[in-house]
Amino acid sequence: MISGFFIFNQKGEVLISRLYRTDLRRSIADVFRIQVISNSDVRSPIITIGSMSFFHVRINNLYVLACTKNNANAALVFEFLYRFISVSKSYFGKVDEESVKSNFVLIYELIDEIIDFGYPQTSETDTLKMYITTEGVRTAPAAEESSKITIQATGVTNWRRTDVKYKKNEAFVDVVETVNLIMSAKGTILRADVDGHIMMRAYLSGTPECKFGLNDKLVLDKSERGVEGAVELDDCRFHQCVRLEGFDTDRTISFIPPDGEFELMKYRSTANVNLPLKVIPTINEVGTTQVSYLVSVKANFNNKLNATNVVIKIPTPLNTTQVDCKVAVGKAKYVPSDNVIIWKIPRMQGGSETTLSGTAMLTSTTHRQAWTRPPIDVDFQVLMFTASGLIVRFLKVFEKNNYQSVKWVRYLTKASGAYQIRF
């Protein structure tokens, strides 16, 4: 699949290189340096030069590159690159030039274990950490320990050891949703969808079997309770530990969890999205010297909940000289360098409404251009609220020792740069 693996710094210097096939020479690094790193016009993460295809990912000041002459599955190559970055972060934290130079021996050990003859083998961090350690193994492992490593690396559940023990057995589930919104100047919703992922931290002894249930529409359609509160989920993607045949039949998520933190599931929802904040802007140009602002924000969720870290960026014309604005809640400030009024509200209770009013003074220009009116951007976080309406119905843990476990579920809905209102 992969003929070569490289890591470059932003100057084009090769920090890590490993060739897996004879159809590749090290001089291919010069081609990538000249055609991609030195060429600012190249924006695509995939580029084909001659018969060679280059797949690269940028992280901090580095280029992580895989190249091949075969017709490889692009999604699989990028999954490998991101898995390598994830494994590297788990070993030495931040992935940048300094950390790569400090841990180059470890990185060579990792890529030699992860890839064999250009084919990815195992990228589970827990498995790799059993026999690749940052401090090195001082004594040779016993035969029994070597047997355990082999069983885990090649067994059915290669993502989890069998001898995990905890004094207190706990499972934490975080449902994190990002809301994307584009609303027209007339108040029509042009786009509203939710990107969600379910993170889990499992501190459970042994090899427990977990069952996870959601208020998925396909589940509730079959039940006697009807479809009230049901959620339509699209594009569901799961961690490799999930048994997909169980999900296809009765929509329950059954799995043996890895030890520690992992991403259990990703999903999208495009139907019946609950918008946490409603923004109503009334912005008018008064002649050629002023712009009046009246922006109302209403919290559309239960009054027992609060929106935190609310940041509303309201654009101003390019020829704005000063802005006078008043707010009842939070603080508002004009930022000339970005041509925006930034309104920050530390905490906003559900059901409440607040308003910003102000006037922007404009300077006269010789050639007056029409104001393009960029959209208003809103960032926020709402704890214990889901825009899709997704609810964890149950989380059960089964283990042969029948121990008691504590389960915690938390919900978070946020917006970051993609919650926009036109005016």
Side-chain angles (χ1 to χ4, degrees), residues 13-44:
E13 298 170 343
V14 178
L15 303 179
I16 301 291
S17 68
R18 180 69 84 211
L19 305 183
Y20 297 101
R21 310 237 172 140
T22 56
D23 61 355
L24 191 67
R25 295 184 178 180
R26 294 193 187 277
S27 58
I28 201 70
D30 298 327
V31 177
F32 182 78
R33 179 189 303 112
I34 296 169
Q35 297 293 335
V36 178
I37 298 178
S38 301
N39 188 355
S40 59
D41 295 331
V42 175
R43 294 181 179 273
S44 173

PDB file of all heavy atoms in Angstrom, residues 13-44:
ATOM      1  N   GLU A  13      13.360  20.047   5.295  1.00  0.00           N
ATOM      2  CA  GLU A  13      14.386  19.102   5.737  1.00  0.00           C
ATOM      3  C   GLU A  13      13.728  17.801   6.200  1.00  0.00           C
ATOM      4  O   GLU A  13      12.703  17.820   6.889  1.00  0.00           O
ATOM      5  CB  GLU A  13      15.211  19.705   6.880  1.00  0.00           C
ATOM      6  CG  GLU A  13      15.959  20.970   6.488  1.00  0.00           C
ATOM      7  CD  GLU A  13      16.573  21.664   7.694  1.00  0.00           C
ATOM      8  OE1 GLU A  13      16.150  21.352   8.841  1.00  0.00           O
ATOM      9  OE2 GLU A  13      17.451  22.519   7.506  1.00  0.00           O
ATOM     10  N   VAL A  14      14.327  16.669   5.836  1.00  0.00           N
ATOM     11  CA  VAL A  14      13.786  15.366   6.211  1.00  0.00           C
ATOM     12  C   VAL A  14      14.204  15.037   7.645  1.00  0.00           C
ATOM     13  O   VAL A  14      15.394  14.969   7.953  1.00  0.00           O
ATOM     14  CB  VAL A  14      14.277  14.260   5.254  1.00  0.00           C
ATOM     15  CG1 VAL A  14      13.738  12.900   5.683  1.00  0.00           C
ATOM     16  CG2 VAL A  14      13.848  14.569   3.821  1.00  0.00           C
ATOM     17  N   LEU A  15      13.200  14.836   8.521  1.00  0.00           N
ATOM     18  CA  LEU A  15      13.468  14.479   9.905  1.00  0.00           C
ATOM     19  C   LEU A  15      13.383  12.960  10.109  1.00  0.00           C
ATOM     20  O   LEU A  15      14.179  12.387  10.835  1.00  0.00           O
ATOM     21  CB  LEU A  15      12.463  15.170  10.837  1.00  0.00           C
ATOM     22  CG  LEU A  15      12.395  16.707  10.745  1.00  0.00           C
ATOM     23  CD1 LEU A  15      11.341  17.238  11.711  1.00  0.00           C
ATOM     24  CD2 LEU A  15      13.745  17.336  11.033  1.00  0.00           C
ATOM     25  N   ILE A  16      12.396  12.334   9.473  1.00  0.00           N
ATOM     26  CA  ILE A  16      12.183  10.887   9.561  1.00  0.00           C
ATOM     27  C   ILE A  16      11.927  10.350   8.161  1.00  0.00           C
ATOM     28  O   ILE A  16      11.174  10.960   7.388  1.00  0.00           O
ATOM     29  CB  ILE A  16      10.970  10.549  10.462  1.00  0.00           C
ATOM     30  CG1 ILE A  16      11.167  11.086  11.880  1.00  0.00           C
ATOM     31  CG2 ILE A  16      10.710   9.041  10.487  1.00  0.00           C
ATOM     32  CD1 ILE A  16      12.241  10.389  12.675  1.00  0.00           C
ATOM     33  N   SER A  17      12.556   9.237   7.813  1.00  0.00           N
ATOM     34  CA  SER A  17      12.281   8.607   6.516  1.00  0.00           C
ATOM     35  C   SER A  17      12.387   7.096   6.660  1.00  0.00           C
ATOM     36  O   SER A  17      13.261   6.581   7.354  1.00  0.00           O
ATOM     37  CB  SER A  17      13.264   9.105   5.447  1.00  0.00           C
ATOM     38  OG  SER A  17      14.570   8.638   5.712  1.00  0.00           O
ATOM     39  N   ARG A  18      11.452   6.413   6.005  1.00  0.00           N
ATOM     40  CA  ARG A  18      11.477   4.955   5.983  1.00  0.00           C
ATOM     41  C   ARG A  18      10.894   4.483   4.650  1.00  0.00           C
ATOM     42  O   ARG A  18       9.793   4.861   4.279  1.00  0.00           O
ATOM     43  CB  ARG A  18      10.667   4.379   7.147  1.00  0.00           C
ATOM     44  CG  ARG A  18      10.646   2.856   7.192  1.00  0.00           C
ATOM     45  CD  ARG A  18      12.012   2.269   7.541  1.00  0.00           C
ATOM     46  NE  ARG A  18      12.239   2.226   8.969  1.00  0.00           N
ATOM     47  CZ  ARG A  18      13.451   2.350   9.519  1.00  0.00           C
ATOM     48  NH1 ARG A  18      14.515   2.565   8.745  1.00  0.00           N
ATOM     49  NH2 ARG A  18      13.605   2.278  10.827  1.00  0.00           N
ATOM     50  N   LEU A  19      11.694   3.685   3.902  1.00  0.00           N
ATOM     51  CA  LEU A  19      11.264   3.144   2.613  1.00  0.00           C
ATOM     52  C   LEU A  19      10.843   1.692   2.803  1.00  0.00           C
ATOM     53  O   LEU A  19      11.549   0.918   3.462  1.00  0.00           O
ATOM     54  CB  LEU A  19      12.396   3.231   1.580  1.00  0.00           C
ATOM     55  CG  LEU A  19      13.004   4.621   1.349  1.00  0.00           C
ATOM     56  CD1 LEU A  19      14.049   4.570   0.252  1.00  0.00           C
ATOM     57  CD2 LEU A  19      11.922   5.642   1.004  1.00  0.00           C
ATOM     58  N   TYR A  20       9.715   1.317   2.222  1.00  0.00           N
ATOM     59  CA  TYR A  20       9.187  -0.033   2.377  1.00  0.00           C
ATOM     60  C   TYR A  20       9.235  -0.855   1.094  1.00  0.00           C
ATOM     61  O   TYR A  20       9.104  -2.066   1.143  1.00  0.00           O
ATOM     62  CB  TYR A  20       7.735   0.031   2.870  1.00  0.00           C
ATOM     63  CG  TYR A  20       7.606   0.656   4.234  1.00  0.00           C
ATOM     64  CD1 TYR A  20       7.190   1.972   4.380  1.00  0.00           C
ATOM     65  CD2 TYR A  20       7.927  -0.062   5.372  1.00  0.00           C
ATOM     66  CE1 TYR A  20       7.090   2.550   5.638  1.00  0.00           C
ATOM     67  CE2 TYR A  20       7.828   0.492   6.631  1.00  0.00           C
ATOM     68  CZ  TYR A  20       7.408   1.804   6.757  1.00  0.00           C
ATOM     69  OH  TYR A  20       7.317   2.375   8.007  1.00  0.00           O
ATOM     70  N   ARG A  21       9.422  -0.194  -0.037  1.00  0.00           N
ATOM     71  CA  ARG A  21       9.410  -0.914  -1.308  1.00  0.00           C
ATOM     72  C   ARG A  21      10.562  -0.449  -2.182  1.00  0.00           C
ATOM     73  O   ARG A  21      11.088   0.658  -2.016  1.00  0.00           O
ATOM     74  CB  ARG A  21       8.087  -0.674  -2.036  1.00  0.00           C
ATOM     75  CG  ARG A  21       6.864  -0.902  -1.159  1.00  0.00           C
ATOM     76  CD  ARG A  21       5.954  -1.924  -1.759  1.00  0.00           C
ATOM     77  NE  ARG A  21       4.888  -2.257  -0.816  1.00  0.00           N
ATOM     78  CZ  ARG A  21       3.621  -2.450  -1.166  1.00  0.00           C
ATOM     79  NH1 ARG A  21       3.270  -2.343  -2.421  1.00  0.00           N
ATOM     80  NH2 ARG A  21       2.736  -2.796  -0.253  1.00  0.00           N
ATOM     81  N   THR A  22      10.916  -1.313  -3.127  1.00  0.00           N
ATOM     82  CA  THR A  22      12.060  -1.009  -4.009  1.00  0.00           C
ATOM     83  C   THR A  22      11.686  -0.059  -5.143  1.00  0.00           C
ATOM     84  O   THR A  22      12.562   0.367  -5.894  1.00  0.00           O
ATOM     85  CB  THR A  22      12.613  -2.309  -4.608  1.00  0.00           C
ATOM     86  OG1 THR A  22      11.557  -3.000  -5.290  1.00  0.00           O
ATOM     87  CG2 THR A  22      13.188  -3.207  -3.512  1.00  0.00           C
ATOM     88  N   ASP A  23      10.397   0.270  -5.292  1.00  0.00           N
ATOM     89  CA  ASP A  23       9.992   1.184  -6.374  1.00  0.00           C
ATOM     90  C   ASP A  23      10.173   2.643  -5.991  1.00  0.00           C
ATOM     91  O   ASP A  23       9.706   3.533  -6.692  1.00  0.00           O
ATOM     92  CB  ASP A  23       8.537   0.923  -6.766  1.00  0.00           C
ATOM     93  CG  ASP A  23       7.568   1.149  -5.592  1.00  0.00           C
ATOM     94  OD1 ASP A  23       8.059   1.404  -4.478  1.00  0.00           O
ATOM     95  OD2 ASP A  23       6.346   1.065  -5.801  1.00  0.00           O
ATOM     96  N   LEU A  24      10.863   2.880  -4.871  1.00  0.00           N
ATOM     97  CA  LEU A  24      11.019   4.242  -4.367  1.00  0.00           C
ATOM     98  C   LEU A  24      12.463   4.493  -3.967  1.00  0.00           C
ATOM     99  O   LEU A  24      13.133   3.613  -3.428  1.00  0.00           O
ATOM    100  CB  LEU A  24      10.107   4.435  -3.139  1.00  0.00           C
ATOM    101  CG  LEU A  24       9.921   5.854  -2.605  1.00  0.00           C
ATOM    102  CD1 LEU A  24       9.171   6.701  -3.609  1.00  0.00           C
ATOM    103  CD2 LEU A  24       9.157   5.826  -1.284  1.00  0.00           C
ATOM    104  N   ARG A  25      12.944   5.710  -4.254  1.00  0.00           N
ATOM    105  CA  ARG A  25      14.275   6.133  -3.835  1.00  0.00           C
ATOM    106  C   ARG A  25      14.152   7.337  -2.901  1.00  0.00           C
ATOM    107  O   ARG A  25      13.156   8.048  -2.918  1.00  0.00           O
ATOM    108  CB  ARG A  25      15.129   6.510  -5.053  1.00  0.00           C
ATOM    109  CG  ARG A  25      15.419   5.341  -5.987  1.00  0.00           C
ATOM    110  CD  ARG A  25      16.339   5.780  -7.114  1.00  0.00           C
ATOM    111  NE  ARG A  25      16.665   4.676  -7.998  1.00  0.00           N
ATOM    112  CZ  ARG A  25      17.461   4.781  -9.074  1.00  0.00           C
ATOM    113  NH1 ARG A  25      17.994   5.951  -9.377  1.00  0.00           N
ATOM    114  NH2 ARG A  25      17.692   3.727  -9.826  1.00  0.00           N
ATOM    115  N   ARG A  26      15.204   7.548  -2.119  1.00  0.00           N
ATOM    116  CA  ARG A  26      15.165   8.660  -1.158  1.00  0.00           C
ATOM    117  C   ARG A  26      15.115  10.013  -1.859  1.00  0.00           C
ATOM    118  O   ARG A  26      14.720  11.009  -1.256  1.00  0.00           O
ATOM    119  CB  ARG A  26      16.389   8.604  -0.233  1.00  0.00           C
ATOM    120  CG  ARG A  26      16.375   7.381   0.664  1.00  0.00           C
ATOM    121  CD  ARG A  26      17.394   7.479   1.778  1.00  0.00           C
ATOM    122  NE  ARG A  26      17.463   6.222   2.514  1.00  0.00           N
ATOM    123  CZ  ARG A  26      16.634   5.892   3.482  1.00  0.00           C
ATOM    124  NH1 ARG A  26      15.683   6.735   3.835  1.00  0.00           N
ATOM    125  NH2 ARG A  26      16.743   4.720   4.096  1.00  0.00           N
ATOM    126  N   SER A  27      15.520  10.063  -3.123  1.00  0.00           N
ATOM    127  CA  SER A  27      15.474  11.329  -3.857  1.00  0.00           C
ATOM    128  C   SER A  27      14.045  11.816  -4.067  1.00  0.00           C
ATOM    129  O   SER A  27      13.827  12.970  -4.461  1.00  0.00           O
ATOM    130  CB  SER A  27      16.168  11.171  -5.210  1.00  0.00           C
ATOM    131  OG  SER A  27      15.567  10.145  -5.972  1.00  0.00           O
ATOM    132  N   ILE A  28      13.057  10.950  -3.791  1.00  0.00           N
ATOM    133  CA  ILE A  28      11.666  11.383  -3.923  1.00  0.00           C
ATOM    134  C   ILE A  28      11.350  12.490  -2.925  1.00  0.00           C
ATOM    135  O   ILE A  28      10.429  13.299  -3.138  1.00  0.00           O
ATOM    136  CB  ILE A  28      10.716  10.179  -3.735  1.00  0.00           C
ATOM    137  CG1 ILE A  28       9.348  10.472  -4.357  1.00  0.00           C
ATOM    138  CG2 ILE A  28      10.556   9.822  -2.266  1.00  0.00           C
ATOM    139  CD1 ILE A  28       9.356  10.523  -5.846  1.00  0.00           C
ATOM    140  N   ALA A  29      12.118  12.576  -1.847  1.00  0.00           N
ATOM    141  CA  ALA A  29      11.923  13.644  -0.858  1.00  0.00           C
ATOM    142  C   ALA A  29      12.190  15.009  -1.482  1.00  0.00           C
ATOM    143  O   ALA A  29      11.524  15.999  -1.136  1.00  0.00           O
ATOM    144  CB  ALA A  29      12.831  13.416   0.346  1.00  0.00           C
ATOM    145  N   ASP A  30      13.153  15.084  -2.411  1.00  0.00           N
ATOM    146  CA  ASP A  30      13.435  16.356  -3.086  1.00  0.00           C
ATOM    147  C   ASP A  30      12.265  16.787  -3.959  1.00  0.00           C
ATOM    148  O   ASP A  30      11.978  17.986  -4.093  1.00  0.00           O
ATOM    149  CB  ASP A  30      14.705  16.224  -3.939  1.00  0.00           C
ATOM    150  CG  ASP A  30      15.929  15.910  -3.103  1.00  0.00           C
ATOM    151  OD1 ASP A  30      15.982  16.376  -1.946  1.00  0.00           O
ATOM    152  OD2 ASP A  30      16.822  15.192  -3.600  1.00  0.00           O
ATOM    153  N   VAL A  31      11.601  15.812  -4.575  1.00  0.00           N
ATOM    154  CA  VAL A  31      10.436  16.134  -5.414  1.00  0.00           C
ATOM    155  C   VAL A  31       9.338  16.757  -4.562  1.00  0.00           C
ATOM    156  O   VAL A  31       8.743  17.773  -4.938  1.00  0.00           O
ATOM    157  CB  VAL A  31       9.920  14.855  -6.125  1.00  0.00           C
ATOM    158  CG1 VAL A  31       8.666  15.173  -6.933  1.00  0.00           C
ATOM    159  CG2 VAL A  31      10.999  14.267  -7.011  1.00  0.00           C
ATOM    160  N   PHE A  32       9.055  16.167  -3.410  1.00  0.00           N
ATOM    161  CA  PHE A  32       8.018  16.706  -2.526  1.00  0.00           C
ATOM    162  C   PHE A  32       8.406  18.079  -1.993  1.00  0.00           C
ATOM    163  O   PHE A  32       7.569  18.977  -1.906  1.00  0.00           O
ATOM    164  CB  PHE A  32       7.787  15.740  -1.366  1.00  0.00           C
ATOM    165  CG  PHE A  32       6.690  16.180  -0.421  1.00  0.00           C
ATOM    166  CD1 PHE A  32       5.367  16.008  -0.763  1.00  0.00           C
ATOM    167  CD2 PHE A  32       7.000  16.761   0.802  1.00  0.00           C
ATOM    168  CE1 PHE A  32       4.350  16.403   0.103  1.00  0.00           C
ATOM    169  CE2 PHE A  32       5.997  17.161   1.661  1.00  0.00           C
ATOM    170  CZ  PHE A  32       4.669  16.979   1.308  1.00  0.00           C
ATOM    171  N   ARG A  33       9.693  18.246  -1.674  1.00  0.00           N
ATOM    172  CA  ARG A  33      10.163  19.532  -1.152  1.00  0.00           C
ATOM    173  C   ARG A  33       9.956  20.639  -2.185  1.00  0.00           C
ATOM    174  O   ARG A  33       9.482  21.735  -1.862  1.00  0.00           O
ATOM    175  CB  ARG A  33      11.634  19.440  -0.778  1.00  0.00           C
ATOM    176  CG  ARG A  33      12.203  20.754  -0.236  1.00  0.00           C
ATOM    177  CD  ARG A  33      13.700  20.703  -0.075  1.00  0.00           C
ATOM    178  NE  ARG A  33      14.119  19.611   0.798  1.00  0.00           N
ATOM    179  CZ  ARG A  33      14.786  18.542   0.391  1.00  0.00           C
ATOM    180  NH1 ARG A  33      15.117  18.414  -0.889  1.00  0.00           N
ATOM    181  NH2 ARG A  33      15.135  17.600   1.242  1.00  0.00           N
ATOM    182  N   ILE A  34      10.295  20.372  -3.438  1.00  0.00           N
ATOM    183  CA  ILE A  34      10.219  21.397  -4.490  1.00  0.00           C
ATOM    184  C   ILE A  34       8.773  21.627  -4.927  1.00  0.00           C
ATOM    185  O   ILE A  34       8.341  22.772  -5.069  1.00  0.00           O
ATOM    186  CB  ILE A  34      11.098  20.986  -5.697  1.00  0.00           C
ATOM    187  CG1 ILE A  34      12.573  20.942  -5.269  1.00  0.00           C
ATOM    188  CG2 ILE A  34      10.907  21.939  -6.858  1.00  0.00           C
ATOM    189  CD1 ILE A  34      13.486  20.291  -6.284  1.00  0.00           C
ATOM    190  N   GLN A  35       8.032  20.529  -5.141  1.00  0.00           N
ATOM    191  CA  GLN A  35       6.707  20.647  -5.739  1.00  0.00           C
ATOM    192  C   GLN A  35       5.616  21.025  -4.736  1.00  0.00           C
ATOM    193  O   GLN A  35       4.592  21.593  -5.133  1.00  0.00           O
ATOM    194  CB  GLN A  35       6.328  19.310  -6.406  1.00  0.00           C
ATOM    195  CG  GLN A  35       7.235  18.913  -7.547  1.00  0.00           C
ATOM    196  CD  GLN A  35       7.110  19.854  -8.740  1.00  0.00           C
ATOM    197  OE1 GLN A  35       6.100  20.500  -8.936  1.00  0.00           O
ATOM    198  NE2 GLN A  35       8.179  19.943  -9.530  1.00  0.00           N
ATOM    199  N   VAL A  36       5.806  20.721  -3.462  1.00  0.00           N
ATOM    200  CA  VAL A  36       4.741  20.959  -2.483  1.00  0.00           C
ATOM    201  C   VAL A  36       5.157  21.979  -1.431  1.00  0.00           C
ATOM    202  O   VAL A  36       4.520  23.018  -1.270  1.00  0.00           O
ATOM    203  CB  VAL A  36       4.314  19.640  -1.799  1.00  0.00           C
ATOM    204  CG1 VAL A  36       3.243  19.898  -0.747  1.00  0.00           C
ATOM    205  CG2 VAL A  36       3.796  18.656  -2.841  1.00  0.00           C
ATOM    206  N   ILE A  37       6.247  21.709  -0.693  1.00  0.00           N
ATOM    207  CA  ILE A  37       6.622  22.590   0.418  1.00  0.00           C
ATOM    208  C   ILE A  37       7.017  23.971  -0.079  1.00  0.00           C
ATOM    209  O   ILE A  37       6.637  24.991   0.508  1.00  0.00           O
ATOM    210  CB  ILE A  37       7.763  21.953   1.238  1.00  0.00           C
ATOM    211  CG1 ILE A  37       7.293  20.621   1.854  1.00  0.00           C
ATOM    212  CG2 ILE A  37       8.229  22.899   2.342  1.00  0.00           C
ATOM    213  CD1 ILE A  37       8.355  19.896   2.639  1.00  0.00           C
ATOM    214  N   SER A  38       7.777  24.019  -1.190  1.00  0.00           N
ATOM    215  CA  SER A  38       8.243  25.306  -1.714  1.00  0.00           C
ATOM    216  C   SER A  38       7.213  25.990  -2.598  1.00  0.00           C
ATOM    217  O   SER A  38       7.427  27.125  -3.032  1.00  0.00           O
ATOM    218  CB  SER A  38       9.540  25.108  -2.519  1.00  0.00           C
ATOM    219  OG  SER A  38      10.543  24.540  -1.706  1.00  0.00           O
ATOM    220  N   ASN A  39       6.109  25.314  -2.884  1.00  0.00           N
ATOM    221  CA  ASN A  39       5.083  25.859  -3.769  1.00  0.00           C
ATOM    222  C   ASN A  39       3.865  26.242  -2.939  1.00  0.00           C
ATOM    223  O   ASN A  39       3.110  25.381  -2.489  1.00  0.00           O
ATOM    224  CB  ASN A  39       4.716  24.817  -4.834  1.00  0.00           C
ATOM    225  CG  ASN A  39       3.795  25.388  -5.903  1.00  0.00           C
ATOM    226  OD1 ASN A  39       3.358  26.537  -5.807  1.00  0.00           O
ATOM    227  ND2 ASN A  39       3.500  24.589  -6.915  1.00  0.00           N
ATOM    228  N   SER A  40       3.661  27.526  -2.743  1.00  0.00           N
ATOM    229  CA  SER A  40       2.561  27.995  -1.899  1.00  0.00           C
ATOM    230  C   SER A  40       1.202  27.819  -2.560  1.00  0.00           C
ATOM    231  O   SER A  40       0.164  27.940  -1.898  1.00  0.00           O
ATOM    232  CB  SER A  40       2.766  29.472  -1.542  1.00  0.00           C
ATOM    233  OG  SER A  40       2.838  30.261  -2.722  1.00  0.00           O
ATOM    234  N   ASP A  41       1.179  27.545  -3.861  1.00  0.00           N
ATOM    235  CA  ASP A  41      -0.094  27.387  -4.567  1.00  0.00           C
ATOM    236  C   ASP A  41      -0.728  26.021  -4.330  1.00  0.00           C
ATOM    237  O   ASP A  41      -1.904  25.817  -4.622  1.00  0.00           O
ATOM    238  CB  ASP A  41       0.096  27.591  -6.078  1.00  0.00           C
ATOM    239  CG  ASP A  41       0.519  29.018  -6.401  1.00  0.00           C
ATOM    240  OD1 ASP A  41       0.154  29.928  -5.631  1.00  0.00           O
ATOM    241  OD2 ASP A  41       1.220  29.214  -7.412  1.00  0.00           O
ATOM    242  N   VAL A  42       0.043  25.057  -3.827  1.00  0.00           N
ATOM    243  CA  VAL A  42      -0.481  23.706  -3.603  1.00  0.00           C
ATOM    244  C   VAL A  42      -1.276  23.692  -2.307  1.00  0.00           C
ATOM    245  O   VAL A  42      -0.742  23.954  -1.228  1.00  0.00           O
ATOM    246  CB  VAL A  42       0.659  22.664  -3.553  1.00  0.00           C
ATOM    247  CG1 VAL A  42       0.094  21.292  -3.204  1.00  0.00           C
ATOM    248  CG2 VAL A  42       1.385  22.613  -4.882  1.00  0.00           C
ATOM    249  N   ARG A  43      -2.559  23.397  -2.418  1.00  0.00           N
ATOM    250  CA  ARG A  43      -3.434  23.355  -1.246  1.00  0.00           C
ATOM    251  C   ARG A  43      -3.990  21.959  -0.990  1.00  0.00           C
ATOM    252  O   ARG A  43      -4.438  21.654   0.105  1.00  0.00           O
ATOM    253  CB  ARG A  43      -4.602  24.329  -1.428  1.00  0.00           C
ATOM    254  CG  ARG A  43      -4.161  25.786  -1.474  1.00  0.00           C
ATOM    255  CD  ARG A  43      -5.357  26.709  -1.638  1.00  0.00           C
ATOM    256  NE  ARG A  43      -4.956  28.110  -1.668  1.00  0.00           N
ATOM    257  CZ  ARG A  43      -4.808  28.868  -0.602  1.00  0.00           C
ATOM    258  NH1 ARG A  43      -5.036  28.355   0.591  1.00  0.00           N
ATOM    259  NH2 ARG A  43      -4.438  30.131  -0.702  1.00  0.00           N
ATOM    260  N   SER A  44      -4.004  21.117  -2.009  1.00  0.00           N
ATOM    261  CA  SER A  44      -4.583  19.788  -1.858  1.00  0.00           C
ATOM    262  C   SER A  44      -3.675  18.888  -1.023  1.00  0.00           C
ATOM    263  O   SER A  44      -2.455  18.912  -1.178  1.00  0.00           O
ATOM    264  CB  SER A  44      -4.807  19.161  -3.234  1.00  0.00           C
ATOM    265  OG  SER A  44      -5.219  17.815  -3.113  1.00  0.00           O
TER     266      SER A  44
END
